[in-house]
Amino acid sequence: MSDAASPAYPTRWKRPPQMVTSRFWRHALTIGALVYLVLAIGTVEVNWQRVMVGLERGQRFVAGFLQPDFTSRWRDISTGLIESLTMTLTSTVVGVLISVPIGIGAARNIAPAWLYMICRGIIAVSRALQEIIIAIFFVALFGFGAFAGFLTLSFATIGFIAKLLAEDIEDIDEAQAEAIRATGASWVQVINYGIQPQVMPRLIGLSLYRLDINFRESAVIGIVGAGGIGATLNTSLSRYEYDSAGAILIIIIAIVMLSEYSSGYLRRWVQ
Amino acid sequence: MLSVEKLTKVYRTGDKALTDVSFEVPKGQVVGLIGPSGAGKSTLIRCVNRLVEPTEGTVRLNDLDVTRLRSGELRRARRRIGMIFQEYALVERLTVMENVLSGRLGYVPFWRSFTRRFPGEDIAKAFRLLDRVGLSAHADKRADALSGGQRQRVGIARALEQDPELLLIDEPTASLDPKTSRQIMRLIVEICRERGLPAIINIHDVVLAQQFADRIIGLQAGRVVFDGGPAMLTEEALTRIYGEEDWTAMQQSAAEDEAAEAEERAEAKKMMRAL
Amino acid sequence: MTVRDISAAEAPIWHHRTPAGRLALYAGWLGLVALFVWCWNLMTERTMWVFVYDAPTAAADLMNRAWPPRWSYMERLWGPLWDTINIATLGTLLGIVLAVPLAFLAASNTTPSRLILRPFALFCIVASRSINSLIWALLLVSILGPGILAGILAIGFRSVGFIGKLLYEAIEETDASQVEAVAATGASQAQVLNYAVVPQVLPSFYGISVFRWDINIRESAILGLVGAGGIGAQLQASLNVLAWPQVTLIIIVILGTVVVSEWVSARVRHAII
């Protein structure tokens, strides 16, 4: 019991490695990461002269952001804004309407296998491609302007809503659908009675969330010609009109924050 | 020696948690603090190391007025007060050894604790304490890989690693089964005897308190309503502390644990022999 | 009774609406339809319907021209692809470096000052989040000139908000009793962070970072469209000369990269959690 009788305890202790236990792999990973970092940073070419000029431009941008000019380009800004907002709303409505049947078809528990495969395929294609790449194609097919943007956002909405809707349907309380099915209801009736009431509030919530995302995206796809406020922003930046660009950015941030706040509020109210 | 004088705590909501609490704990005394839930037991022991700021009154630890310390001095005072928690409060994702060594944090500069390079004597002490609580084989395991009883032993080792002059123990057995509870209580009391450590054990189980504490303090609605030896804790005194509560249920469960206790005592002896 | 009637009659029951509420609901739907029509008209005001009607022919034509992809162009894509991965990785690292201190300032349980630094950190996070990385790139290219640097900064600035938000939420969810226990040993503020808070948030931190890296691979692939380097620059160049077979190849490469990065990120996150 006494200290004298007790064995000598070690005076050194090293924390055992937690994630990679093999010594070899730990060193290999560290060296690999370091080599990669050196190589990657090596590829960054910085033209310091250009950066010095840029710093001066950066100051002008900050000044433009702090003293935004809403008036001199107001016509362009308002056209872009109206295009963005209308595009956002119409594409969300159309996208959601199309997503509902696809989402139902992509739910494993209610759709037949062949339909499931088709609908999952559509969702995969819609999700794999960036909005901006889709926009490039739609602009090539349908010409410049808001219509191509509308199609882009609708297409992207389908992948988003249909996937989440399908997952919701797969997660529903089977007992309720089962009870309806036991009464001898048809497939449509099962969906109407057993599934719709459970999924509806979530669907409304998702649609509002997507409305939010669509607005953010509508500010971007204008860069490739699909209309909206992004096109206006692109023009003003390429003309180095930082005070107008600042105004547009402030409008975008304000609308995003407003819509995030209000859609959060609406979602809580619906659910 | 710890002395608490006229300690009062009023929460910002206006709730009066403690009213004029005064007592002294001499060296080596194990005090069981009992009372119904909401009586202020937890607030009282947290006022001693100022995890909760007392509203009025003083707390003196060996002539140091804890209530008057500024933040740096308070940290140095906290090093001298070990604390053991209800839900163990180990840092689950750190190893057992790191948890024990965290008892030295107040003594080492940041860079040493950050690189885990603690002084050799701290590490040797941590190994000795882990041995003492019967966990020497588990030093490199992560804390969340241990059972409840083992985690509480790590908690005890962490508090002792501080070389404390006082132990504050908050419901040490609340999340343990009856058998493990007794083992833990026995371990705590043994350690206090070995080191002549005073301790305040906040405990809801009256039978355990009576069995292990040298002295019982009963709190009721923030006031001390009983202060005396375990033998003085009569039926009448308990009714004063707990009101209309029924005692027989608690005592019955104690009788049921009797068998478990015999077994556990044998184990404790084995452990003592091993040391 | 038709199916339509049932659903309409049932709607008020899930929402617990009174007859007046039901009326409001109908009015709401009607309002939405009217709003949709109005927006549709506004939006299509300037649409050239000739192009739209012509779209099927245009699509067939495009398919003809875009297929097969020009595989030989691949040798000119390895460099930009390497740049794209570097933009994503270095940008994510930059985002992490900026986001970690912001997250600790923004979390209500670790912030050193509730009145000044916390609102400031929250504002940085919100501002970064509401600007798309492509817009960041547009801005930075205009300021710094085209190149990888603008891309890295754009990805980094966008990642700050994402990582910062998720990380500060994770910090706010840490177990307070572990923090209390470490503070009770007499540890300093920095030591409490190091021993009690950091171990608890580390798994979510790794998860968030890898997740964001995966998203950044996708985003960095298109930053070149506005001149911020990477494979998107090649896309832009090919689009400018209407070299559709090259465009097809680039999109195939982007899709492949995205699939691989998604797989890597899923594997890493699985290994951590």
Side-chain angles (χ1 to χ4, degrees):
Chain A
M1 231 13 240
S2 69
D3 276 7
S6 64
Y9 290 99
T11 55
R12 295 170 73 80
W13 176 79
K14 242 182 128 245
R15 179 173 209 263
Q18 299 291 308
M19 272 200 278
V20 187
T21 39
S22 144
R23 195 186 167 82
F24 169 76
W25 279 111
R26 219 168 40 247
H27 288 296
L29 281 174
T30 317
I31 292 169
L34 281 176
V35 168
Y36 170 77
L37 262 187
V38 170
L39 286 179
I41 292 173
T43 62
V44 183
E45 286 165 19
V46 185
N47 180 349
W48 289 108
Q49 232 173 345
R50 185 69 180 72
V51 172
M52 292 313 282
V53 180
L55 281 182
E56 185 263 332
R57 283 219 192 101
Q59 277 174 0
R60 270 178 49 215
F61 173 74
V62 172
F65 192 79
L66 293 176
Q67 284 181 307
D69 175 11
F70 291 91
T71 47
S72 54
R73 293 267 164 214
W74 179 245
R75 267 180 53 85
D76 293 344
I77 294 176
S78 65
T79 323
L81 204 56
I82 287 170
E83 275 186 358
S84 265
L85 289 172
T86 53
M87 201 192 308
T88 305
L89 186 96
T90 49
S91 65
T92 308
V93 170
V94 171
V96 169
L97 287 180
I98 300 174
S99 315
V100 169
I102 294 181
I104 293 171
R108 200 192 303 265
N109 52 347
I110 53 171
W114 59 272
L115 186 63
Y116 173 79
M117 296 304 285
I118 293 175
C119 293
R120 283 284 165 177
I122 297 173
I123 292 174
V125 171
S126 155
R127 287 175 59 81
L129 291 170
Q130 286 267 333
E131 274 91 343
I132 203 107
I133 293 176
I134 303 171
I136 290 171
F137 277 99
F138 280 131
V139 168
L141 295 179
F142 295 90
F144 290 97
F147 192 74
F150 156 76
L151 289 174
T152 306
L153 294 182
S154 305
F155 187 68
T157 305
I158 292 171
F160 180 86
I161 300 269
K163 175 165 188 275
L164 294 175
L165 183 65
E167 277 165 11
D168 272 357
I169 295 175
E170 284 171 359
D171 284 348
I172 60 159
D173 180 7
E174 258 309 307
Q176 291 185 37
E178 201 57 42
I180 306 279
R181 205 172 286 141
T183 64
S186 71
W187 191 77
V188 176
Q189 284 170 320
V190 169
I191 289 176
N192 196 334
Y193 281 87
I195 291 169
Q196 192 192 339
Q198 295 187 56
V199 174
M200 199 61 188
R202 260 285 279 179
L203 180 64
I204 295 175
L206 285 177
S207 308
L208 286 169
Y209 183 39
R210 186 66 212 188
L211 191 73
D212 215 49
I213 299 176
N214 277 349
F215 177 76
R216 290 174 206 225
E217 291 297 331
S218 80
V220 171
I221 52 176
I223 294 169
V224 293
I229 189 99
T232 323
L233 180 67
N234 198 6
T235 320
S236 63
L237 276 175
S238 57
R239 289 190 194 134
Y240 301 111
E241 289 172 357
Y242 289 124
D243 38 7
S244 296
I248 295 171
L249 281 179
I250 287 171
I251 291 174
I252 293 177
I253 295 177
I255 293 182
V256 166
M257 282 171 75
L258 188 77
S259 74
E260 192 165 299
Y261 179 77
S262 54
S263 84
Y265 179 80
L266 267 173
R267 262 182 287 163
R268 238 167 297 143
W269 182 72
V270 167
Q271 280 162 9
Chain B
M1 176 168 117
L2 173 80
S3 79
V4 173
E5 267 168 57
K6 295 193 179 267
L7 199 69
T8 300
K9 171 67 188 173
V10 184
Y11 280 108
R12 224 171 289 165
T13 50
D15 297 325
K16 211 164 189 191
L18 296 173
T19 313
D20 271 347
V21 174
S22 302
F23 60 88
E24 284 188 352
V25 184
K27 196 167 158 45
Q29 191 178 60
V30 176
V31 177
L33 191 61
I34 63 170
S37 54
K41 306 191 294 280
S42 177
T43 307
L44 176 55
I45 66 166
R46 278 174 171 71
C47 278
V48 172
N49 63 356
R50 281 176 60 193
L51 285 175
V52 169
E53 286 294 333
T55 315
E56 268 172 56
T58 54
V59 174
R60 277 172 198 283
L61 179 64
N62 298 340
D63 294 329
L64 177 73
D65 186 348
V66 178
T67 40
R68 256 177 248 290
L69 300 178
R70 277 170 298 133
S71 66
E73 301 163 328
L74 175 63
R75 277 211 301 278
R76 278 190 289 280
R78 277 182 181 164
R79 304 191 304 204
R80 298 160 56 188
I81 306 173
M83 192 158 180
I84 296 167
F85 293 82
Q86 178 173 3
E87 304 273 353
Y88 332 121
L90 298 182
V91 182
E92 307 266 315
R93 301 190 64 90
L94 293 184
T95 57
V96 167
M97 192 62 185
E98 281 167 295
N99 270 292
V100 177
L101 285 172
S102 70
R104 298 307 291 180
L105 286 178
Y107 294 90
V108 299
F110 177 74
W111 66 270
R112 278 199 104 132
S113 63
F114 183 78
T115 54
R116 306 320 196 232
R117 283 176 213 274
F118 285 84
E121 66 257 36
D122 289 358
I123 291 167
K125 190 195 302 163
F127 276 114
R128 194 170 70 236
L129 286 168
L130 279 178
D131 208 0
R132 174 68 185 87
V133 298
L135 290 176
S136 44
H138 301 280
D140 284 349
K141 278 194 187 157
R142 243 169 58 173
D144 53 8
L146 302 183
S147 71
Q150 289 174 324
R151 287 189 206 194
Q152 195 55 292
R153 286 164 193 272
V154 178
I156 293 170
R158 171 173 66 188
L160 294 177
E161 178 78 11
Q162 285 174 244
D163 281 333
E165 293 160 39
L166 169 70
L167 277 185
L168 301 174
I169 307 172
D170 188 16
E171 299 281 6
T173 62
S175 359
L176 300 175
D177 61 72
K179 182 174 165 230
T180 321
S181 295
R182 278 157 195 279
Q183 289 172 351
I184 291 291
M185 283 302 287
R186 192 178 298 280
L187 180 65
I188 290 172
V189 171
E190 271 170 21
I191 284 170
C192 288
R193 296 272 178 280
E194 280 164 25
R195 303 175 168 236
L197 257 178
I200 304 178
I201 307 182
N202 176 349
I203 189 163
H204 69 285
D205 187 333
V206 176
V207 182
L208 272 185
Q210 268 176 308
Q211 188 179 350
F212 289 104
D214 303 326
R215 172 182 162 196
I216 306 275
I217 293 180
L219 275 188
Q220 216 275 316
R223 285 172 194 278
V224 177
V225 292
F226 176 87
D227 189 346
M232 289 159 64
L233 198 62
T234 54
E235 210 63 18
E236 182 268 327
L238 284 168
T239 323
R240 194 160 10 119
I241 302 169
Y242 285 88
E244 297 300 312
E245 202 132 344
D246 187 9
W247 286 106
T248 44
M250 222 183 239
Q251 271 152 349
Q252 221 151 38
S253 78
E256 278 163 22
D257 298 338
E258 208 94 329
E261 210 207 322
E263 193 184 321
E264 163 249 342
R265 208 169 270 156
E267 206 168 317
K269 261 191 205 127
K270 225 190 299 169
M271 205 167 82
M272 299 282 277
R273 238 177 290 136
L275 283 166
Chain C
M1 213 167 153
T2 64
V3 171
R4 190 91 212 109
D5 284 339
I6 293 158
S7 89
E10 241 170 2
I13 298 174
W14 331 312
H15 296 287
H16 310 289
R17 299 253 190 289
T18 55
R22 198 185 306 173
L23 209 64
L25 200 68
Y26 283 138
W29 286 115
L30 200 70
L32 186 65
V33 171
L35 188 66
F36 175 80
V37 171
W38 181 65
C39 285
W40 179 266
N41 285 333
L42 262 182
M43 182 187 76
T44 53
E45 227 166 38
R46 300 196 305 163
T47 305
M48 309 277 224
W49 290 106
V50 197
F51 285 124
V52 177
Y53 297 138
D54 198 35
T57 1
D61 186 40
L62 192 65
M63 286 290 269
N64 265 332
R65 275 189 288 162
W67 200 263
R70 193 182 149 206
W71 298 108
S72 61
Y73 189 58
M74 196 60 217
E75 62 195 47
R76 303 224 348 237
L77 287 183
W78 292 114
L81 187 60
W82 169 244
D83 283 349
T84 298
I85 293 168
N86 290 342
I87 291 173
T89 311
L90 295 178
T92 311
L93 288 178
L94 175 69
I96 290 170
V97 168
L98 296 174
V100 167
L102 278 179
F104 279 98
L105 293 182
S108 56
N109 50 349
T110 55
T111 185
S113 107
R114 242 162 225 289
L115 288 177
I116 305 160
L117 287 177
R118 179 158 196 258
F120 169 75
L122 285 174
F123 174 78
C124 289
I125 288 171
V126 168
S128 150
R129 264 160 46 77
S130 44
I131 301 177
N132 192 297
S133 57
L134 208 58
I135 297 182
W136 275 117
L138 208 60
L139 211 68
L140 288 160
V141 167
S142 160
I143 292 172
L144 295 173
I148 295 183
L149 184 64
I152 293 171
L153 292 179
I155 291 288
F157 289 164
R158 174 63 184 87
S159 306
V160 168
F162 183 91
I163 298 173
K165 176 164 191 273
L166 293 179
L167 191 59
Y168 96 72
E169 285 170 356
I171 294 172
E172 286 183 348
E173 276 167 24
T174 50
D175 177 10
S177 72
Q178 297 181 27
V179 176
E180 191 185 38
V182 174
T185 66
S188 67
Q189 282 285 323
Q191 287 172 325
V192 172
L193 283 187
N194 182 216
Y195 272 74
V197 180
V198 171
Q200 290 190 61
V201 296
L202 217 50
S204 8
F205 169 74
Y206 289 133
I208 294 163
S209 305
V210 174
F211 185 33
R212 185 65 218 183
W213 174 78
D214 177 22
I215 299 175
N216 282 346
I217 289 274
R218 288 161 183 262
E219 303 215 321
S220 62
I222 50 162
L223 288 185
L225 286 173
V226 295
I231 201 162
Q234 239 61 25
L235 181 63
Q236 177 73 341
S238 305
L239 281 172
N240 281 344
V241 296
L242 298 177
W244 291 102
Q246 294 180 18
V247 173
T248 316
L249 180 68
I250 292 170
I251 286 171
I252 290 171
V253 170
I254 292 178
L255 276 181
T257 318
V258 166
V259 169
V260 170
S261 78
E262 205 160 278
W263 179 79
V264 169
S265 122
R267 279 295 301 268
V268 172
R269 271 184 290 162
H270 189 77
I272 293 168
I273 305 160

